[in-house]
Amino acid sequence: MGTDQFQELKASVQASGFKLTPQRQSTLQVLIEQSDQLLSAEQIYMYTREKNESIGLATVYRTLEILTSIQVVSKVIGSEGLAYYSLINRQSQHAPHHLVCIHCGRIIEINEDLLDAVEKEVEKNFHFKVTNHHLVIHGLCQDCQEGDLHYDE
């Protein structure tokens, strides 16, 4: 586990008024260790149980909702309706964007901020201060396109 990254995330949680309970600490550790992939709450629960046998699935769900609400974790809904989670890159100002394949369910994370111009227009035209955004685009991944699938969605 990256000690610096953990300390930064710990500070973010505490600055938001939440305590870093052992269960939340275990969940954060899993998210750091598995930061190269999106995980379902059930997958996070299974990894977390290896560190803290006393943790329950409901606690993992509550922890993920807290971490999402304070913008430590990004949540994306896959094509099958399941939620997937990953740590937000702290170097970026916004949560990552996601491409969701409607055929195979693959989720591709995009860390580039693609909506700067849209943000400026929203702020100018609607007098609305954008603090964050999350874009999910549904379509067909390259593998499914090459599989000669025909979708009119």
Side-chain angles (χ1 to χ4, degrees), residues 90-106:
R90 306 315 284 175
Q91 274 64 54
S92 174
Q93 278 187 289
H94 299 288
H97 304 306
H98 294 93
L99 307 176
V100 178
C101 181
I102 61 174
H103 182 257
C104 70
R106 180 178 177 201

Side-chain angles (χ1 to χ4, degrees), residues 12-133:
S12 293
V13 171
Q14 292 172 332
S16 297
F18 293 97
K19 292 181 181 179
L20 193 63
T21 64
Q23 295 85 355
R24 291 176 186 158
Q25 181 173 329
S26 298
T27 303
L28 274 176
Q29 288 173 334
V30 166
L31 289 165
I32 291 168
E33 291 167 3
Q34 304 296 326
S35 64
D36 61 334
Q37 59 184 325
L38 289 166
L39 298 170
S40 69
E42 290 78 11
Q43 290 170 310
I44 294 168
Y45 167 69
M46 295 305 293
Y47 284 121
T48 305
R49 290 253 325 156
E50 294 172 8
K51 298 177 180 314
N52 183 343
E53 290 182 7
S54 67
I55 196 165
L57 181 58
T59 301
V60 171
Y61 272 108
R62 282 191 302 273
T63 298
L64 291 170
E65 289 306 312
I66 288 169
L67 295 175
T68 301
S69 72
I70 62 173
Q71 298 178 1
V72 167
V73 169
S74 172
K75 175 181 175 181
V76 63
I77 306 299
S79 62
E80 71 286 357
L82 284 176
Y84 294 90
Y85 302 87
S86 66
L87 286 177
I88 292 175
N89 179 348
R90 306 315 284 175
Q91 274 64 54
S92 174
Q93 278 187 289
H94 299 288
H97 304 306
H98 294 93
L99 307 176
V100 178
C101 181
I102 61 174
H103 182 257
C104 70
R106 180 178 177 201
I107 301 172
I108 302 164
E109 192 170 277
I110 302 171
N111 285 308
E112 292 92 29
D113 191 356
L114 305 173
L115 297 178
D116 283 337
V118 172
E119 277 189 19
K120 288 177 182 154
E121 285 297 311
V122 166
E123 289 181 358
K124 177 182 164 193
N125 296 335
F126 298 95
H127 307 288
F128 186 85
K129 177 66 178 159
V130 177
T131 58
N132 202 354
H133 62 256

